[in-house]
Amino acid sequence: ELKVEQNPLFLSMQEGKNYTIYCNYSTTSDRLYWYRQDPGKSLESLFVLLSNGAVKQEGRLMASLDTKARLSTLHITAAVHDLSATYFCAVDRAGGTSYGKLTFGQGTILTVHP
Amino acid sequence: SQTIHQWPATLVQPVGSPLSLECTVEGTSNPNLYWYRQAAGRGLQLLFYSVGIGQISSEVPQNLSASRPQDRQFILSSKKLLLSDSGFYLCAWSSQTSSYNEQFFGPGTRLTVL
């Protein structure tokens, strides 16, 4: 059974600081996704990582994937209040098939304060 | 562009009552469709997925069922709701023609069972 674990589960950051959220998974996969969820809202796709060494960046967020270590990171640079949200990583169980099923991590609740 | 709709947005139902939640996707054909539940506090649990009309796979045994009567319509049902059915229900779609399984989520239905 695939398990996906994120840490930390809660992250309180000061504006302007840097931090990293980690996502570990238990079985082989080369597809990993990061999503953002604002309170009471649905999930918004942030990044799709499809191969070992993949790195994607959007604004102050950068995601990377190490399939050998079964680890993905979401790095936050110079945090701002607008980044406050819950961040989920999700791993595709099906690998190469077209209807893969995602297993989600528990989510990391990020709060950025002045 | 593709859009995904869910209704109702919120629902309060008594224990033992029936349930019907609807999800429709526009702007794409033959999508993979998914139902997730997010309990208070956070993780997402995959309930059902479908790769075509009338094709439903269940992930978790429970008193819920799903149906796909049309290509872009996905329905979640129950004959008798339990207290434990309360949660945030999210429908998602992904493309069967894409080489990866990025899933796009609807706005969700918040269900409270009293």
Side-chain angles (χ1 to χ4, degrees):
Chain A
E1 179 190 351
L2 173 61
K3 293 187 178 179
V4 181
E5 294 187 348
Q6 291 181 232
N7 73 85
L9 299 183
F10 300 90
L11 179 53
S12 181
M13 295 179 63
Q14 264 192 316
E15 282 188 328
K17 298 292 186 182
N18 305 332
Y19 210 84
T20 300
I21 299 171
Y22 297 89
C23 174
N24 291 93
Y25 53 98
S26 61
T27 63
T28 301
S29 176
D30 58 1
R31 296 181 182 186
L32 191 137
Y33 309 83
W34 283 96
Y35 288 88
R36 168 181 171 146
Q37 185 179 36
D38 291 311
K41 303 293 185 182
S42 186
L43 274 71
E44 172 191 357
S45 180
L46 291 176
F47 299 110
V48 178
L49 302 170
L50 299 176
S51 61
N52 186 42
V55 177
K56 295 279 185 73
Q57 183 165 6
E58 180 73 33
R60 300 174 187 274
L61 299 178
M62 183 173 71
S64 65
L65 178 61
D66 181 343
T67 58
K68 295 179 181 178
R70 299 178 185 169
L71 170 69
S72 179
T73 60
L74 180 66
H75 186 72
I76 302 154
T77 302
V80 293
H81 179 71
D82 285 351
L83 290 179
S84 297
T86 300
Y87 292 86
F88 291 94
C89 63
V91 178
D92 192 332
R93 284 181 258 166
T97 64
S98 63
Y99 54 93
K101 295 172 281 186
L102 301 186
T103 299
F104 281 78
Q106 313 97 307
T108 297
I109 299 177
L110 170 64
T111 304
V112 181
H113 54 87
Chain B
S1 64
Q2 301 86 7
T3 55
I4 179 169
H5 304 279
Q6 287 186 245
W7 64 90
T10 59
L11 192 59
V12 180
Q13 292 284 92
V15 169
S17 63
L19 173 74
S20 181
L21 303 182
E22 189 164 342
C23 169
T24 59
V25 181
E26 295 177 355
T28 187
S29 296
N30 198 27
N32 299 315
L33 294 172
Y34 308 84
W35 277 112
Y36 289 88
R37 177 169 60 202
Q38 185 177 32
R42 309 176 324 167
L44 276 79
Q45 180 184 38
L46 178 63
L47 301 175
F48 301 95
Y49 71 95
S50 172
V51 300
I53 295 174
Q55 300 179 62
I56 309 295
S57 294
S58 174
E59 282 291 295
V60 181
Q62 58 215 317
N63 70 318
L64 299 172
S65 62
S67 62
R68 186 169 176 173
Q70 300 180 44
D71 180 46
R72 290 169 288 174
Q73 184 185 30
F74 206 21
I75 298 172
L76 183 69
S77 303
S78 174
K79 292 182 180 178
K80 287 186 178 182
L81 283 168
L82 306 173
L83 284 174
S84 58
D85 291 325
S86 293
F88 191 38
Y89 287 82
L90 291 159
C91 180
W93 74 274
S94 68
S95 170
Q96 292 199 25
T97 59
S98 172
S99 59
Y100 52 91
N101 188 43
E102 185 178 15
Q103 293 182 18
F104 301 94
F105 287 80
T109 295
R110 192 162 303 280
L111 172 66
T112 303
V113 182
L114 302 174

